[in-house]
Amino acid sequence: MEETQEILELGAIQESSTPSKKDDFLATMSDLYVKFKGIDFPVIVHDNECLEYTANEFQVRDDDVFNVTYPKSGTIWMQEILTLIHSNGDTEVAQSIPNWDRVPWIEQKTGRGHLEKRPSPRLITTHLSAHLAPKSLFSSKAKVIYTVRNPRDVFVSLYFFSHSISFIETPKSFDDFFQKFLKGDVVYGSWFDHIKSWLGVKSKINIMFQTFEDMKKDPRGSVVKICQFLEKDLDEKAIDSVVQNSSFKTMKENKMSNWSLVPEQMLNPNIPFMRKGVSGDWRNHFSKEQIELFDATYKEQMKDVDMKFSWDSL
Ligand code: PPS
């Protein structure tokens, strides 16, 4: 790893946080995670009951739209795009309601009872693997957008987020966390299992796969593609508005989107949620050995996967 880079980026946190608000928060928690079907979920937002309910009882509607991601893959970006597409480019909702309320996570304690009362079409977020998703999804016509990001960048983003957010264990070191990520021993489970679970059900549901990298390279083309999938006929001006208002710069300044409403005790403001928003930051952090180990693990884990990604070969 480029140690200097990491120290520079984490320096601000460490200087400002001895003892940190996160430490204060952790001291109040007996357990950080609830284990559900072998996967750790932060106990502050999930419990067994809501995860069971999501899988077995939640009733998906045919006109629901699902925003599915492994964490740190572009979840809130897609929340913004979906919000703006559904308001035909109008920014009022995106600028007045927090994103977690506009496109809520189905599997969180707050999701239960709340989504059921929403009028259609509902916009729903989930970090769940396909085997933990609502069973009713598989007999519905609901539209599912799976946003996938180079797992190397997912890892780096999750590493910094885990220093920032109170409800995830702070990594012992970059390398320790790196090993855990490759083994899938992190919150929400293995990146590899997650993508493979959704690829495995692609013929059973109405799903489109969208990469974070394509959204970076061609934001307009990506929004147009998403509109086509959603059968939303937006005019040029509305599409421009979706693209502009879901840009990193605009979202970073929008307090309804940038997570600055989360109390300081929960999210360290020195490591903002909207951190860099780029592709390829992993190159600033991985050592030669880590590059090789990641590559070998990736190749082995993904050897039977048909879909090709731009990051398959470096
Ligand atoms: S979470 O916690 O799972 O909901 O996080 P998630 O939203 O999936 O991922 C956070 C990363 O996405 C980046 N982000 C963006 N990048 C580019 N453009 C836009 N509009 C955008 N919105 C969010 C955010 O900065 C996090 O990535 P990193 O690499 O940490 O910057």
Side-chain angles (χ1 to χ4, degrees):
M1 176 194 34
E2 291 288 337
E3 215 170 319
T4 331
Q5 175 85 17
E6 193 214 350
I7 289 166
L8 276 177
E9 287 181 42
L10 288 176
I13 323 159
Q14 279 149 3
E15 273 168 31
S16 67
S17 56
T18 337
S20 70
K21 304 238 188 225
K22 178 164 179 173
D23 294 338
D24 292 347
F25 173 81
L26 291 178
T28 67
M29 303 287 291
S30 51
D31 290 311
L32 210 45
Y33 303 131
V34 52
K35 209 175 257 310
F36 185 73
K37 314 268 184 205
I39 296 178
D40 281 336
F41 292 90
V43 80
I44 194 150
V45 273
H46 308 279
D47 56 22
N48 266 299
E49 211 188 350
C50 72
L51 291 161
E52 283 286 358
Y53 174 79
T54 300
N56 298 315
E57 288 175 54
F58 184 80
Q59 288 307 308
V60 172
R61 300 178 194 155
D62 283 341
D63 50 10
D64 284 341
V65 175
F66 279 83
N67 168 28
V68 181
T69 57
Y70 184 85
K72 314 321 287 182
S73 302
T75 320
I76 69 156
W77 194 0
M78 190 55 76
Q79 284 177 332
E80 208 73 1
I81 290 174
L82 293 178
T83 304
L84 290 159
I85 289 178
H86 273 257
S87 61
N88 292 310
D90 188 286
T91 57
E92 199 197 324
V93 172
Q95 287 174 358
S96 58
I97 300 174
N99 45 8
W100 53 76
D101 211 12
R102 292 183 242 134
V103 196
W105 273 264
I106 188 179
E107 66 271 25
Q108 294 189 352
K109 292 178 204 169
T110 47
R112 186 170 179 177
H114 173 63
L115 274 165
E116 289 77 351
K117 293 185 199 125
R118 290 223 160 164
S120 293
R122 299 180 298 187
L123 303 177
I124 302 170
T125 298
T126 185
H127 284 325
L128 294 173
S129 295
H131 68 289
L132 301 181
K135 293 201 169 42
S136 57
L137 173 64
F138 299 93
S139 53
S140 80
K141 296 190 181 106
K143 294 186 164 71
V144 177
I145 302 178
Y146 186 100
T147 308
V148 53
R149 184 183 192 185
N150 185 339
R152 300 167 183 87
D153 282 329
V154 168
F155 165 74
V156 171
S157 183
L158 187 60
Y159 173 74
F160 285 100
F161 186 63
S162 303
H163 279 87
S164 181
I165 195 81
S166 295
F167 55 69
I168 298 183
E169 194 183 7
T170 307
K172 284 196 188 73
S173 68
F174 189 89
D175 195 56
D176 185 69
F177 196 57
F178 184 88
Q179 306 290 341
K180 284 186 159 163
F181 184 84
L182 288 184
K183 283 190 218 131
D185 186 14
V186 286
V187 276
Y188 300 100
S190 153
W191 181 89
F192 301 103
D193 291 350
H194 199 277
I195 176 76
K196 287 191 279 188
S197 78
W198 286 98
L199 285 170
V201 297
K202 74 177 190 306
S203 60
K204 299 187 181 133
I205 52 174
N206 190 4
I207 186 168
M208 90 173 251
F209 290 85
Q210 172 67 51
T211 69
F212 180 102
E213 287 68 16
D214 281 350
M215 301 206 292
K216 282 297 300 180
K217 242 192 285 167
D218 182 9
R220 201 170 203 286
S222 301
V223 167
V224 168
K225 210 173 97 193
I226 294 164
C227 285
Q228 281 163 357
F229 177 68
L230 297 177
E231 298 170 271
K232 290 284 289 179
D233 189 16
L234 269 57
D235 63 25
E236 296 293 304
K237 209 167 135 229
I239 289 173
D240 288 344
S241 170
V242 177
V243 174
Q244 193 203 317
N245 290 292
S246 63
S247 71
F248 186 80
K249 186 172 178 300
T250 308
M251 283 180 63
K252 197 171 168 75
E253 286 162 5
N254 180 0
K255 66 176 190 304
M256 295 298 154
S257 311
N258 64 14
W259 276 44
S260 61
L261 295 177
V262 174
E264 203 173 312
Q265 192 202 18
M266 298 293 295
L267 191 77
N268 185 335
N270 293 310
I271 316 173
F273 189 100
M274 304 283 297
R275 194 182 59 93
K276 285 191 177 173
V278 298
S279 303
D281 189 35
W282 65 272
R283 291 184 188 277
N284 296 317
H285 296 280
F286 284 22
S287 67
K288 191 170 163 288
E289 293 72 33
Q290 286 163 344
I291 292 174
E292 285 168 9
L293 180 58
F294 204 109
D295 205 27
T297 310
Y298 186 91
K299 284 204 173 90
E300 173 58 26
Q301 284 274 359
M302 301 292 278
K303 64 177 188 294
D304 296 326
V305 168
D306 291 340
M307 195 171 279
K308 296 291 158 229
F309 298 106
S310 59
W311 55 79
D312 284 343
S313 42
L314 300 176

